[in-house]
Amino acid sequence: MRTMLAEMAPAWRKPRRHGRMPSMPSPALFDRLLALSRFDGDSRTALTALHAHFSADFPDCSLALLLVRGQDAGRCGLAGLIGPDGTEHVPNIDPNGHRSQLPPFDDALAARLIAAPLAHVAAVAPVERGLPLAQALFAPAAVLAVPLANAGELSHWLVFGSTLAHRFDRFDAERILLHVNLATSLIVRPIVLRELTQETERQRHEIESLADIQKLLLPDNPRIRGLDYAVHWQPAATAAGDYYEMSNLSDSVPELIAADEADAWGVIVGDVSGHGAAAAAEAMQFDAILRTFEGDDKEPPASAISYANRYFFSRRSRGHFMTVFALLYRPAERRLAYLSAGHPPLLHRRGADVAMLGEADQIPLGVLRDFEYANRAHDAQNGDVFVLYTDGIVEARDARGREFGIERLRDLVAETAVDVSVQALRDRLVAAVHAHQGGAIGNDDQTLLVLRIAH
């Protein structure tokens, strides 16, 4: 019998003594591993595939997967069971042990099998074959138990059972430990990869849905008499923490008197700290809060931003803040009211001169709940150009980590011909940023608005 077993399982022979070379695994073993590495099934078929793989070494044996992670000492759960003929008896539908209800075993055989993290053979005496775990394993005369390493912990045991008492004689503990763990990893890897891919796809779909909602909140090219404008809005990921709003206020805010050929208008550019889905959700909440503002006895836009800041706070610390630059233009007075809540300064071009407005002005939203923002005033003339942007523009980095910078943006605005269109100026600025960072997508969300007084 031992000679027959040695011929069937050469890979498990112990090294010979007396100076003779140890036996080497058969080349056929690698072919079997190659075949196993092509496994493309799901968790339900994984244990069946392992049983088929090891049937060449341990024919007519049952195979059980015991879960020990999260179990009390000496206790295990039956996470999967294949009979000696390859029939599945307990489906392996939860390889990672997330299922709360698994057949539990805490009898003497279970405790003996998982007592120490070593590959070992255990003889099952006739009196023990009536124990619950032995009955589940088809009353074996011998079992071979192998611990499985998973993410830095012993999570499961793979247990072979045989009605032949000497089936697992002469096994090499070190080799079988390595072989079983290698074979298991070849099975688990594609399952985990598939689950990760599915989860990634699910999350991508959810983020895309969030991004679609966010895009619906962006201004739909409002018609504003007396204002030419061009916008660039580019998320670094699918959804963005950058926000902008542009509104014709002539009809919605009666106290803002329009000129004969020009409307009153407001513009807000915001940037939530961070980027991606979480920042996008914060930006959408800011938009929702802002839409509930019905005015008060204070002057806009400071009154609106103070209101939004007050309700931007939640019951718990949100972990995000938001910078905002807000403008309100009164055409009859040719006066611009503005404020910067921690936002990069506005660039104002008049002729060949470019000034920065709102630099180091007031604190971002989400820092002090009851902070009251104040307006600054600036006159405007026909042909004046204003450039608003988020820090993703000026902090765009090249391959050496150098920032694009406010000064470079300011120089580009100053160097552009006075009579160029706002669309052409926007395109020139955006092209310069793209060339600097080496592509259309930066490491942060990027928003740029170019406005020209045209009355």
Side-chain angles (χ1 to χ4, degrees):
M1 176 63 73
R2 291 188 177 184
T3 301
M4 178 184 68
L5 289 174
E7 291 174 351
M8 287 193 298
W12 313 132
R13 293 176 183 163
K14 294 182 179 179
R16 297 180 180 178
R17 305 299 181 186
H18 311 299
R20 305 174 78 177
M21 292 294 291
S23 61
M24 300 299 290
S26 166
L29 176 59
F30 185 69
D31 292 336
R32 288 162 50 203
L33 289 173
L34 282 177
L36 194 63
S37 70
R38 291 189 287 269
F39 173 78
D40 193 34
D42 56 20
S43 61
R44 188 180 182 93
T45 60
L47 200 60
T48 302
L50 281 175
H51 183 272
H53 174 78
F54 285 106
S55 63
D57 305 302
F58 307 123
D60 302 320
C61 290
S62 62
L63 180 62
L65 182 67
L66 304 182
L67 172 69
V68 294
R69 180 176 52 202
Q71 306 285 333
D72 295 334
R75 182 186 176 96
C76 61
L78 184 58
L81 177 64
I82 307 297
D85 62 353
T87 301
E88 180 185 68
H89 291 269
V90 176
N92 176 34
I93 60 174
D94 183 41
N96 294 319
H98 297 155
R99 189 172 57 182
S100 59
Q101 298 297 323
L102 292 175
F105 295 94
D106 56 3
D107 55 52
L109 178 60
R112 184 153 59 98
L113 290 183
I114 62 176
L118 301 170
H120 63 99
V121 172
V124 184
V127 69
E128 293 182 300
R129 295 171 196 172
L131 294 174
L133 182 57
Q135 286 292 301
L137 300 180
F138 307 99
V143 294
L144 170 62
V146 184
L148 300 180
N150 181 16
E153 64 176 339
L154 197 171
S155 59
H156 295 78
W157 286 76
L158 208 59
V159 176
F160 300 86
S162 176
T163 56
L164 300 178
H166 301 289
R167 169 64 73 190
F168 307 113
D169 284 3
R170 298 173 63 98
F171 88 105
D172 186 311
E174 182 175 322
R175 289 187 182 182
I176 199 168
L177 178 66
L178 294 175
H179 184 183
V180 166
N181 276 273
L182 172 60
T184 302
S185 69
L186 292 176
I187 288 286
V188 170
R189 182 176 59 182
I191 295 174
V192 172
L193 180 61
R194 184 181 299 106
E195 291 176 349
L196 179 61
T197 301
Q198 292 172 347
E199 177 62 17
T200 300
E201 180 64 21
R202 184 189 66 79
Q203 293 183 5
R204 184 188 65 81
H205 177 72
E206 291 184 356
I207 294 173
E208 286 180 346
S209 297
L210 177 66
D212 290 341
I213 295 173
Q214 183 180 34
K215 290 174 184 176
L216 293 174
L217 299 176
L218 296 177
D220 188 18
N221 300 318
R223 183 178 180 275
I224 302 174
R225 296 177 304 156
L227 178 69
D228 296 333
Y229 65 87
V231 177
H232 171 75
W233 183 77
Q234 177 59 63
T238 306
D242 275 13
Y243 169 88
Y244 77 95
E245 175 60 63
M246 177 180 295
S247 302
N248 185 329
L249 301 176
S250 292
D251 295 330
S252 58
V253 185
E255 62 268 23
L256 296 178
I257 302 174
D260 292 340
E261 299 179 354
D263 290 311
W265 50 265
V267 170
I268 296 175
V269 175
D271 182 7
V272 177
S273 57
H275 56 268
E282 299 282 2
M284 292 168 65
Q285 178 167 324
F286 171 78
D287 180 86
I289 294 170
L290 201 61
R291 291 174 188 270
T292 66
F293 179 64
E294 297 180 349
D296 54 27
D297 58 353
K298 299 177 182 178
E299 284 290 316
S303 56
I305 300 304
S306 297
Y307 174 88
N309 176 63
R310 189 157 53 250
Y311 292 101
F312 191 67
F313 281 81
S314 55
R315 294 179 180 178
R316 297 180 178 86
S317 175
R318 63 195 313 112
H320 289 274
F321 62 85
M322 183 176 186
T323 68
V324 167
F325 204 107
L327 301 173
L328 175 67
Y329 181 65
R330 299 174 183 267
E333 305 168 18
R334 290 187 181 271
R335 185 167 67 88
L336 196 70
Y338 71 90
L339 68 87
S340 172
H343 202 79
L346 167 75
L347 299 182
H348 171 215
R349 172 174 172 167
R350 179 174 292 170
D353 296 326
V354 178
M356 291 191 291
L357 305 179
E359 187 173 14
D361 196 0
Q362 299 168 72
I363 64 174
L365 279 71
V367 177
L368 294 175
R369 183 186 187 94
D370 296 320
F371 186 83
E372 291 294 330
Y373 291 90
N375 291 325
R376 307 288 185 260
H378 193 72
D379 70 305
Q381 298 179 7
N382 184 31
D384 280 0
V385 173
F386 299 95
V387 179
L388 296 93
Y389 51 93
T390 56
D391 60 10
I393 294 289
V394 294
E395 294 179 1
R397 296 181 181 273
D398 63 11
R400 297 173 60 183
R402 296 172 299 187
E403 290 187 351
F404 186 79
I406 293 178
E407 291 301 325
R408 184 181 305 192
L409 184 67
R410 181 179 180 179
D411 291 344
L412 285 169
V413 173
E415 294 166 3
T416 304
V418 175
D419 58 351
V420 75
S421 69
V422 291
Q423 290 79 15
L425 176 54
R426 174 204 58 194
D427 293 346
R428 183 185 185 196
L429 299 178
V430 170
V433 173
H434 288 179
H436 180 76
Q437 67 191 13
I441 309 297
N443 292 326
D444 195 4
D445 308 320
Q446 296 176 340
T447 301
L448 178 77
L449 279 70
V450 180
L451 315 173
R452 173 180 281 141
I453 304 300
H455 75 101

